[in-house]
Amino acid sequence: MFLRWLLLVYCVAWSKATGILYPRESETREVKSLDGIWNFRVSVNPGEGVKNRWYAQKLSKSGATIPMPVPSSYNDITQEKSIREHVGVVWYERTFFVPHSWRDNSLRVWLRFGSVHYTANVWVNGQEVLFHEIGHLPFQTEITSVLDFGQENRLTVAVDNTLRLSSVPQGTLDKIQTNDGPKIVQRYTFDFFNYAGIHRTVHIYTTPAVYVDDISVYTDIQPPKGIVYFNISFGGLSLEGNEVTCWVDLLDADGDPVSRAGNSGKDSAGFTGKLEVQNANFWWPFMMHQDPGYLYTLEVRLETVQWGLDIVDVYRLPVGIRTVRYTNTSLLINNKPVYLRGFGRHEDSNLRGKGLDLVLVAKDYNLLKWVGANAFRTSHYPYAEEIMDFADKEGFMIIDECPSVDTDKFSDLLLAKHKQSLTELIQRDKNRPSVIMWSVANEPRTQHPAAAEYFRNVVSHVKSVDSRPVTSALAQRADLEYGGQFLDVIGFNRYNGWYSEPGRTDVIRLNVESEAKEWHLKHNKPVIMMEYGADTMPGLHFHPQYIWSEEYQIELFSEHFKAFDNLRNKFFFIGEMIWNFADFKTNQAITRVGGNKKGIFTRERQPKGAATHVRKRYIRLAQEIDNFKFNEELEPYSAPFVSHFRKNRVEL
């Protein structure tokens, strides 16, 4: 057994994993969460932690530590302003155990982070195992060879939140003079707080020595038949080559098999094939079908013999059978045109910042369903995989956005990192039925001529790896920008009645209609309004309506609704998304009172007056467009309708 173990450790050096499958338990895999309270300390002087080898021993040996929850942003956890506004490196540490049985059974052990913002250096037992740049995306590595089985292991992470012109998103550093001497401050143009820390779950998990490394799924429909094309890659195969058998079963929502494929051969790096399902249940968006978000399970079973060991690996992947197509006027799911009604959002909550909070995730989806939304954009970065899981299951359509915000100062280095962020995003979310579009940026500075070549490269890169339509949230006018020509769907942001002509709701309808028409006329592509809205202080009331009041938010929405309904009759306008779903924290600014207040819900997820107003519209649109059956009353009872009242009086 020990010899087999040495062989496995030796093979780690040449075994290259490319997949980033979410850790799922099975009869062949164990998953352990490392979430909890970690040790934490701030590095005050740049470079001191690495220079003094803080990773080589317990973090407390380098100085005082404090407890820090993972996952969370560290900024709002303490009472220290210096920690909230820290620029640079912080250090995390915790210990964990792995059982002897993992070694005795020749299992590989993997360390996976759901997200660390912005860069992470990772050590296990004092040995550096991993570096990752770009927040909001997962990363992992195998750590089998550096573990002490049956003993305590130490995990150390250095997190740097510094943003530069070559980072995604971009930022700059500035030095200011203070009472305590010069200090470095972070500058950025995007309008949300630069929360930092270990934001999502940290896992260790096992795989057999030979394992399912990655799965790519593409689905098609030939009603009533559904087709699932798959490409499965294996990891850990020895240099000599092995006989590998792979069985792929598709299970319905009750766990019953509906289709099967198998493959066996030597020197096989994977298995490519297809499964057909007669009378398939297709994946439909919320409120477009009586059973939205239908998911099958793709069960992959790999069998081989290596080093005298019988090896089996099982991985199960949720799969939704649906198609996404687009024309110059429409977006179609399963060949049916869809009209998106939803929100821009943020991963943001009190205390936790951008830290994963499953209670909040569940609450947000309940609110999205209550308000009648069918879509949202992951503005302005990829959201947690657990959030995406909900979308798959509940049938929400997602415009999946990479972390590029206010992209400017175009350079080859920035382009490389921008493309890398999209590669990692697509690798993570390629199999999700909820993802209907990729968004390559939010409000890029496409008024510069250099943006043309830059975004030609960005969009071309996306299209080289996936077939879904590509969009972006554009802030420039149609006749003054260079990026829209490469997109499949035009998304634009505009704040009529707020940043433009604040207080004037009488300009909204004309401006929105004319701009949407200009975009379609210029590019002959579908158009969606990605952002519009107004900051609103909950409890502030003015009649007649006045800027910042709840009444003003309702009036501003109503004028947009009129424009949208006129545009829907033009057939190229495919959706409306309010900015924002809920209030969120921003950097300190004189234009913000505790953050951005454009939500129809407060940061605590309580409704403002506009929430009920939006609900009426979204549900009525579902009734009109998708024949959705809604049995509740949208209006609380106040009095009988006049016609009914008069009829009864006559009868009396």
Side-chain angles (χ1 to χ4, degrees), residues 9-276:
V9 171
Y10 170 77
C11 290
V12 167
W14 53 259
S15 174
K16 294 183 179 180
T18 59
I20 194 70
L21 295 173
Y22 189 81
R24 300 182 187 276
E25 283 192 319
S26 72
E27 51 268 50
T28 65
R29 297 181 174 217
E30 293 186 53
V31 180
K32 180 178 179 179
S33 170
L34 296 185
D35 293 354
I37 302 298
W38 292 43
N39 299 319
F40 176 90
R41 73 166 299 193
V42 173
S43 175
V44 177
N45 300 310
E48 63 178 335
V50 173
K51 179 181 178 180
N52 296 319
R53 296 170 52 85
W54 289 2
Y55 54 83
Q57 56 186 342
K58 289 185 177 180
L59 190 58
S60 59
K61 298 288 187 181
S62 66
T65 64
I66 61 173
M68 184 61 65
V70 171
S72 74
S73 301
Y74 62 74
N75 308 81
D76 292 342
I77 301 298
T78 77
Q79 303 308 111
E80 298 296 328
K81 181 180 179 182
S82 60
I83 292 180
R84 185 188 70 198
E85 299 177 352
H86 176 70
V87 179
V89 178
V90 298
W91 289 72
Y92 288 80
E93 177 204 67
R94 69 154 294 160
T95 58
F96 63 94
F97 287 85
V98 290
H100 284 295
S101 60
W102 288 6
R103 180 188 61 193
D104 296 342
N105 292 324
S106 300
L107 298 178
R108 298 176 183 266
V109 185
W110 303 81
L111 172 65
R112 188 184 195 271
F113 292 80
S115 167
V116 176
H117 187 75
Y118 171 71
T119 65
N121 291 79
V122 183
W123 294 264
V124 175
N125 295 328
Q127 298 188 50
E128 187 165 13
V129 297
L130 192 55
F131 170 79
H132 184 259
E133 179 178 355
I134 302 173
H136 315 292
L137 287 164
F139 54 98
Q140 68 178 18
T141 190
E142 184 174 357
I143 58 172
T144 314
S145 61
V146 299
L147 290 173
D148 293 326
F149 289 85
Q151 301 179 47
E152 184 178 79
N153 293 270
R154 188 178 70 258
L155 174 59
T156 311
V157 185
V159 179
D160 190 348
N161 67 350
T162 306
L163 303 178
R164 303 180 185 277
L165 287 177
S166 61
S167 60
V168 183
Q170 293 171 296
T172 58
L173 297 176
D174 197 7
K175 182 181 289 187
I176 63 172
Q177 297 299 323
T178 73
N179 294 336
D180 300 320
K183 287 188 177 179
I184 299 296
V185 294
Q186 179 80 70
R187 309 290 193 193
Y188 48 86
T189 60
F190 54 82
D191 189 34
F192 56 94
F193 193 80
N194 188 39
Y195 278 115
I198 302 177
H199 281 155
R200 298 173 190 159
T201 292
V202 183
H203 288 110
I204 54 173
Y205 69 95
T206 68
T207 65
V210 181
Y211 56 95
V212 177
D213 178 45
D214 196 21
I215 304 172
S216 297
V217 167
Y218 173 79
T219 64
D220 197 5
I221 65 170
Q222 298 173 3
K225 182 170 66 175
I227 304 172
V228 178
Y229 298 92
F230 59 84
N231 184 7
I232 299 164
S233 61
F234 309 146
L237 289 169
S238 70
L239 294 172
E240 295 81 13
N242 296 82
E243 184 84 16
V244 179
T245 300
C246 184
W247 293 103
V248 181
D249 289 281
L250 195 67
L251 314 178
D252 65 17
D254 295 322
D256 297 323
V258 295
S259 188
R260 178 176 237 210
N263 182 59
S264 183
K266 280 192 173 183
D267 301 320
S268 175
F271 178 24
T272 299
K274 75 173 183 177
L275 300 165
E276 295 187 356

Side-chain angles (χ1 to χ4, degrees), residues 621-639:
L621 286 176
Q623 293 172 320
E624 173 199 342
I625 298 170
D626 301 318
N627 297 313
F628 177 72
K629 306 301 181 186
F630 187 76
N631 299 319
E632 299 177 29
E633 293 290 338
L634 286 173
E635 301 274 4
Y637 180 83
S638 57

Side-chain angles (χ1 to χ4, degrees), residues 383-456:
Y383 291 176
E385 290 157 287
E386 292 80 1
I387 294 176
M388 306 299 287
D389 288 344
F390 263 81
D392 290 338
K393 294 174 184 176
E394 300 291 343
F396 282 88
M397 294 177 283
I398 307 300
I399 299 174
D400 209 356
E401 191 161 275
C402 79
S404 180
V405 193
D406 296 356
T407 316
D408 199 357
K409 309 294 184 185
F410 307 111
S411 68
D412 291 342
L413 181 56
L414 177 66
L415 176 62
K417 292 184 181 179
H418 194 158
K419 290 164 67 174
Q420 180 63 26
S421 75
L422 284 158
T423 297
E424 293 184 22
L425 171 62
I426 295 170
Q427 178 72 8
R428 191 195 77 165
D429 290 344
K430 61 188 175 182
N431 298 321
R432 294 190 177 277
S434 59
V435 176
I436 59 166
M437 280 189 266
W438 306 111
S439 175
V440 297
N442 175 74
E443 299 191 356
R445 306 309 193 226
T446 53
Q447 72 272 28
H448 303 308
E453 181 64 14
Y454 184 92
F455 280 98
R456 184 190 67 79

Side-chain angles (χ1 to χ4, degrees), residues 452-473:
E453 181 64 14
Y454 184 92
F455 280 98
R456 184 190 67 79
N457 277 285
V458 167
V459 174
S460 176
H461 175 70
V462 175
K463 289 183 171 296
S464 71
V465 293
D466 194 81
S467 62
R468 271 166 276 212
V470 179
T471 189
S472 178

Side-chain angles (χ1 to χ4, degrees), residues 529-541:
M529 194 163 194
M530 291 284 202
E531 292 185 20
Y532 68 97
D535 281 272
T536 304
M537 288 298 296
L540 181 65
H541 296 282

